[in-house]
Amino acid sequence: MSTDTGTGTKKGTETGTDSRVVERFEAIKRRRRVRWIGYGILVGVLGYLFLSALTSVEWFTTNKQYGTFARRATDFFPFLLTEPPFFDPSGFLEYTSYIHERNLLYDKELLGQYPSPLGDPLGFLLSIPSLLLAIFVSEGGPLPFFGEAGTTLSMAVAGTVMGFPFALLFGILGSERVTPFPFNFIFRGTMSTIRAIPALVWILIFIPLAGIGPVTATIAIAVDTIGNLGRLFVDELEEIEDGPIEAMKTTGASRRQTITFGMLSQVHTPFIAWTLYIFEINVRIAVSLGIVGGGGLGQVLEVQMGLFAYTNAMATILVILVMIISVEMFSQRIRARLRADDTEPMGLWELLKGFPKRMARSLAK
């Protein structure tokens, strides 16, 4: 009897286990079905929004002239031909000659006073001391030697330096660790207001101050830097450790000493890294401000597009590409060495591939 009871209990246990496994399996299947139904609804909603967006921008009704676009491409790229062999190496000379004539990469009049490294190598080597002296001591420093690119870089450098002290001040005072709530929102709100207005609008606001030109563009970049860089400073200060701050307080340090040696000492490296990052963005902003009259490469590009000189416009774009990638590589190398946890710096291909996206992001700021 005991054997039968044990066998019955064992069978019941197995039956109960099987039913729980089956119920669990059915529950998993139901969750999967619900999840896939949710994914289907999400895809349907996104598809509806996507089609609505295309309809709103008149994507389906606009006549797209692919043939005209293909023919225009040969104007932008003079080395392309519409007939075999479809490639003309001499087309690159049009780029280089225009870049040289318009001083896009360097000022030929300033550098022309010295021997060419290709034509007279010995004379060039002997003239290096005087050349360096002229570059760093002459009026305007080294940037004017870069021609139109130097004007764009000057706007970015001056705007970043002018905006940095205010961004640091607003960033510190906007942190709740320094200024108690809700008074810190006075500074946070100011930075949010600045960030809400794009640099392309700031330059229009400051036109009555200095007219349309590089000065106004520099002011617009400086104001934009206060909002963007200051907000990054606030976020960094909110993430610091409490230990060094409490240690400073236990030593009887004043509030200013606590902020300087307990807080800023923890974030000085990220602050430098973020400043270099904002400088990269400001170089792109300087290009976009030049298109609306701020000067530099952006203005050259706008003029050439207005004259329908597409080859010259593409030569200017190539110079912009070289300048921005050079600045990015310089900045990223420094940031990678400043921040041990920084991401792996991008190579040349990644920089080239991601350039349109970064440029569009900068224009949207």
Side-chain angles (χ1 to χ4, degrees):
M1 183 175 179
S2 59
T3 303
D4 293 338
T5 303
T7 305
T9 304
K10 183 177 181 181
K11 288 181 179 178
T13 303
E14 290 178 351
T15 304
T17 303
D18 291 343
S19 64
R20 288 197 299 272
V21 170
V22 171
E23 290 175 0
R24 181 65 176 168
F25 179 68
E26 291 297 329
I28 292 174
K29 288 173 64 177
R30 282 196 299 273
R31 282 202 297 271
R32 286 184 176 179
R33 281 196 294 269
V34 171
R35 187 184 306 161
W36 281 110
I37 292 173
Y39 287 156
I41 295 174
L42 179 61
V43 170
V45 171
L46 291 177
Y48 171 74
L49 291 176
F50 178 60
L51 290 175
S52 299
L54 292 178
T55 305
S56 299
V57 299
E58 302 178 352
W59 179 270
F60 301 107
T61 56
T62 300
N63 182 25
K64 303 173 188 63
Q65 303 176 356
Y66 295 106
T68 303
F69 177 76
R71 289 192 298 273
R72 183 61 52 80
T74 60
D75 296 331
F76 281 106
F77 304 99
F79 53 86
L80 296 179
L81 302 175
T82 56
E83 299 176 353
F86 303 110
F87 184 77
D88 181 14
S90 63
F92 289 103
L93 296 177
E94 297 187 36
Y95 288 156
T96 55
S97 61
Y98 177 75
I99 292 171
H100 178 71
E101 291 170 0
R102 290 300 302 267
N103 301 330
L104 298 188
L105 267 180
Y106 59 91
D107 192 324
K108 63 180 181 181
E109 294 182 0
L110 291 175
L111 293 180
Q113 302 172 8
Y114 301 90
S116 169
L118 297 178
D120 186 5
L122 180 60
F124 175 76
L125 291 175
L126 295 175
S127 66
I128 286 179
S130 60
L131 176 61
L132 293 177
L133 183 65
I135 288 176
F136 291 102
V137 177
S138 64
E139 184 179 0
L143 292 177
F145 283 84
F146 292 101
E148 296 291 343
T151 303
T152 301
L153 286 173
S154 299
M155 290 190 290
V157 170
T160 305
V161 173
M162 290 169 63
F164 175 80
F166 296 97
L168 182 62
L169 178 64
F170 279 63
I172 294 174
L173 296 178
S175 172
E176 194 172 354
R177 292 172 180 267
V178 177
T179 307
F181 177 84
F183 300 105
N184 63 323
F185 271 85
I186 297 174
F187 305 99
R188 286 197 176 200
T190 303
M191 289 184 289
S192 298
T193 303
I194 292 174
R195 293 173 66 244
I197 301 175
L200 282 170
V201 178
W202 280 116
I203 190 174
L204 300 177
I205 294 174
F206 287 111
I207 284 178
L209 177 63
I212 186 70
V215 173
T216 307
T218 302
I219 297 173
I221 292 173
V223 173
D224 195 64
T225 299
I226 296 172
N228 291 325
L229 189 58
R231 179 53 189 272
L232 294 173
F233 286 170
V234 170
D235 291 341
E236 283 291 339
L237 286 173
E238 298 296 340
E239 300 295 331
I240 59 177
E241 300 289 339
D242 290 328
I245 300 174
E246 294 172 353
M248 289 296 300
K249 290 179 179 178
T250 56
T251 61
S254 64
R255 184 170 180 78
R256 187 179 63 181
Q257 291 172 328
T258 302
I259 294 173
T260 303
F261 301 105
M263 297 177 62
L264 296 182
S265 61
Q266 297 187 55
V267 294
H268 69 278
T269 299
F271 273 21
I272 297 173
W274 282 124
T275 303
L276 290 171
Y277 174 70
I278 290 297
F279 171 65
E280 291 179 24
I281 295 177
N282 285 344
V283 173
R284 302 190 192 99
I285 292 177
V287 174
S288 61
L289 295 183
I291 295 176
V292 296
L297 292 173
Q299 188 164 9
V300 175
L301 177 62
E302 192 274 337
V303 170
Q304 297 305 315
M305 290 297 292
L307 295 174
F308 303 104
Y310 299 114
T311 300
N312 297 344
M314 181 52 66
T316 308
I317 292 173
L318 292 177
V319 173
I320 293 173
L321 182 68
V322 170
M323 179 188 66
I324 290 180
I325 289 178
S326 301
V327 171
E328 282 198 12
M329 292 181 68
F330 172 76
S331 174
Q332 287 187 9
R333 295 296 174 185
I334 294 179
R335 285 192 289 127
R337 282 160 178 74
L338 287 173
R339 305 178 69 170
D341 58 344
D342 202 355
T343 56
E344 185 70 18
M346 288 188 291
L348 180 61
W349 170 242
E350 286 78 9
L351 289 170
L352 289 170
K353 187 173 64 175
F355 171 73
K357 183 178 180 181
R358 294 192 296 275
M359 188 70 189
R361 190 188 307 147
S362 299
L363 291 174
K365 285 183 177 296

